[in-house]
Amino acid sequence: MDKVEVQKIKQKALEDHIPIIMDDTLGVVDKILTDIKPKKILEIGTAVGYSAICFSEYLAENGVIDTIEREEERVIEARKNIKNAGVEDKINIYLGDAVEVLPTFNDKYNVIFIDAAKGKYPFFLEQAIRLLSNNGVIIADNILYKGYVMSDYNKHKQRTAVRNLRQYLKDVQENPNFETEILEVGDGLAISKRRY
């Protein structure tokens, strides 16, 4: 992987105000991936490919990342970035709305990283549970959403996102098959490990 290129991708995303994984969040995910050495990662929300590129470093030999993005413009940029970083043989991008794409997937994934439409998190969780391998981990980014999720925030503009993120946390914490920890890194991270 071309580290210099990865820095350029990060810099450009920040300049263009494209939301990418925060450094402290990436630090936590890096540790999880180092422990697991995943063969297959599913990412919901590619943006410009920055996180997938970073995650690809931790894949087991011949491992692969499947990532879904609904905005065509972002997919074009992500493909270019992934090629420039020299990891195009490890990452497959699927163009489309994850709500429609996920039900067509049937592979099992060691790690599933959720970072897409906040209002769809409960649906993403349902699909992630279906696609997760034994001993797999689901990681949901931005789960505290600017602190709104744990406060009594109820403004109209973000109400659906906040309500659905709260629902996600409730669903995953009440699921007896998972052990979930919520970290206040970045914009909040929920790490759910399947119990076996």
Side-chain angles (χ1 to χ4, degrees), residues 16-52:
D16 295 345
H17 304 289
I18 291 167
I20 57 169
I21 191 168
M22 296 182 195
D23 289 345
D24 50 355
T25 306
L26 188 57
V28 173
V29 177
D30 284 356
K31 283 195 190 81
I32 295 167
L33 298 181
T34 302
D35 288 347
I36 295 177
K37 267 280 177 241
K39 188 89 176 144
K40 293 206 80 167
I41 298 175
L42 172 60
E43 177 184 56
I44 305 168
T46 315
V48 293
Y50 174 70
S51 46

Side-chain angles (χ1 to χ4, degrees), residues 47-185:
V48 293
Y50 174 70
S51 46
I53 292 166
C54 293
F55 299 164
S56 71
E57 191 181 350
Y58 301 93
L59 286 168
E61 202 179 337
N62 301 320
V64 70
I65 298 173
D66 290 335
T67 179
I68 305 168
E69 175 57 53
R70 68 178 178 196
E71 289 181 40
E72 195 166 357
E73 210 175 290
R74 296 255 170 106
V75 169
I76 292 164
E77 191 168 349
R79 284 206 172 109
K80 188 182 78 183
N81 289 340
I82 288 162
K83 191 174 187 328
N84 291 346
V87 290
E88 68 266 44
D89 56 333
K90 295 180 176 183
I91 302 170
N92 306 313
I93 304 178
Y94 294 83
L95 170 62
D97 190 323
V99 171
E100 290 160 17
V101 176
L102 282 169
T104 70
F105 281 19
N106 287 303
D107 276 354
K108 292 292 183 195
Y109 296 89
N110 312 109
V111 176
I112 298 177
F113 183 72
I114 303 173
D115 186 14
K118 309 303 160 223
K120 303 283 190 316
Y121 269 40
F123 176 80
F124 295 155
L125 175 63
E126 201 180 291
Q127 292 296 313
I129 290 170
R130 182 178 71 83
L131 296 167
L132 194 67
S133 65
N134 294 350
N135 305 321
V137 179
I138 300 170
I139 304 167
D141 199 5
N142 308 116
I143 202 71
L144 299 177
Y145 201 49
K146 306 170 186 160
Y148 297 155
V149 173
M150 296 303 192
S151 71
D152 55 7
Y153 181 86
N154 201 20
K155 290 202 177 70
H156 179 68
K157 191 169 175 243
Q158 311 286 356
R159 194 163 47 206
T160 304
V162 171
R163 185 179 65 234
N164 286 321
L165 288 167
R166 285 177 183 151
Q167 187 63 48
Y168 177 100
L169 286 173
K170 183 177 186 295
D171 291 349
V172 80
Q173 287 175 306
E174 288 176 1
N175 188 321
N177 299 321
F178 285 89
E179 189 180 310
T180 297
E181 63 175 323
I182 296 153
L183 304 179
E184 289 185 23
V185 294

